Amino acid sequence: MFVVNSRPKLVTNAPLSLLLIGLLPANQLLLKSRLLLTEDLLKHPLLFKKWQLLKHLFTTATPAFIACVISILCGFVPSPSAHAHDALKMTLTSSKVIISQDGSRSYIPVRTAKVGTLIQYKATYNNTLDTPIQNTTITLPIPTNTEFNGEAYPPSAQASIDYYNYQDIPLRRVIEGKIVDIPFSEYKSLRWNIKYIPARKSINVAFNTIVN
């Protein structure tokens, strides 16, 4: 079973309003994404160039793959105070989680994993500025062929079943007048609201999944 293990880097200072719409047909996702591109985004050559490079994927790639790419490239909104071009740099890794008999955990980088393997996806965001960044939103998709197991770090993460609406974990719905927990198998993406990243420091967010 293939497990995503990419190391993308995002360098931007533009306010972003490109949000994931959900698992829509590729053409619909492209159309809706275009409508959500702000004037500010179009004025930034670097981001617009990335958008142009992604366009050719939208007619051939699966909607799930498109969602992952957009979320990784545009999944956070830097504060307006992050005015430098190299505001944040992101590294994404995947590791197999090994739990010993005493309960301690170790992490081994992986590219492939068998069904039932516990995998942690970890994103590190480095503030390259000499000033802090405030009120940053980070969004990461739950990869295809994996299921979120409820473990997110920091635990303040919110979750979505449609890439659009986010609520605190555990998500709940009303069925026949009763409030019930939504199964983790329906979770599509996670979001963290990061209040403060010190100058020249980094923060980590992570979540665990089980390969299915």
Side-chain angles (χ1 to χ4, degrees):
M1 186 68 66
F2 179 74
V3 178
V4 176
N5 184 20
S6 58
R7 294 178 179 271
K9 181 170 66 175
L10 176 60
V11 180
T12 178
N13 70 328
L16 300 178
S17 63
L18 182 58
L19 303 176
L20 294 179
I21 306 303
L23 294 181
L24 298 174
N27 290 337
Q28 292 183 36
L29 182 57
L30 174 58
L31 175 61
K32 288 182 177 291
S33 298
R34 278 185 175 277
L35 294 176
L36 289 172
L37 285 173
T38 65
E39 183 177 1
D40 287 332
L41 178 59
L42 295 176
K43 288 180 179 178
H44 287 74
L46 179 61
L47 286 180
F48 186 70
K49 182 177 180 180
K50 286 183 178 180
W51 172 250
Q52 292 289 91
L53 292 175
L54 286 173
K55 282 201 304 183
H56 76 279
L57 294 175
F58 290 155
T59 56
T60 58
T62 65
F65 174 78
I66 294 171
C68 289
V69 171
I70 293 177
S71 182
I72 290 172
L73 291 179
C74 302
F76 70 91
V77 183
S79 164
S81 63
H83 57 275
H85 198 64
D86 292 335
L88 284 173
K89 293 183 179 179
M90 187 268 270
T91 300
L92 179 66
T93 60
S94 60
S95 301
K96 180 179 179 179
V97 182
I98 305 297
I99 304 176
S100 63
Q101 292 183 349
D102 63 4
S104 61
R105 297 189 177 196
S106 56
Y107 302 87
I108 302 175
V110 294
R111 291 183 59 85
T112 61
K114 297 180 180 179
V115 172
T117 303
L118 182 62
I119 300 294
Q120 181 177 95
Y121 291 90
K122 179 180 178 181
T124 299
Y125 288 84
N126 182 44
N127 178 9
T128 62
L129 298 178
D130 292 323
T131 57
I133 295 176
Q134 302 182 49
N135 300 319
T136 299
T137 300
I138 294 172
T139 304
L140 293 176
I142 297 169
T144 304
N145 297 326
T146 70
E147 180 179 319
F148 178 56
N149 76 339
E151 298 177 342
Y153 312 95
S156 58
Q158 296 180 314
S160 174
I161 59 174
D162 60 8
Y163 300 104
Y164 184 72
N165 297 293
Y166 288 85
Q167 299 291 335
D168 294 338
I169 298 173
L171 300 180
R172 294 185 169 92
R173 63 163 62 106
V174 177
I175 298 179
E176 297 181 351
K178 296 182 179 180
I179 298 177
V180 298
D181 289 347
I182 296 176
F184 290 138
S185 60
E186 296 186 33
Y187 287 31
K188 301 299 183 184
S189 58
L190 300 176
R191 182 178 74 180
W192 291 263
N193 296 315
I194 307 299
K195 299 298 183 182
Y196 189 84
I197 305 177
R200 300 293 175 179
K201 299 294 184 180
S202 62
I203 59 99
N204 298 316
V205 298
F207 62 92
N208 292 346
T209 68
I210 298 175
V211 178
N212 57 24

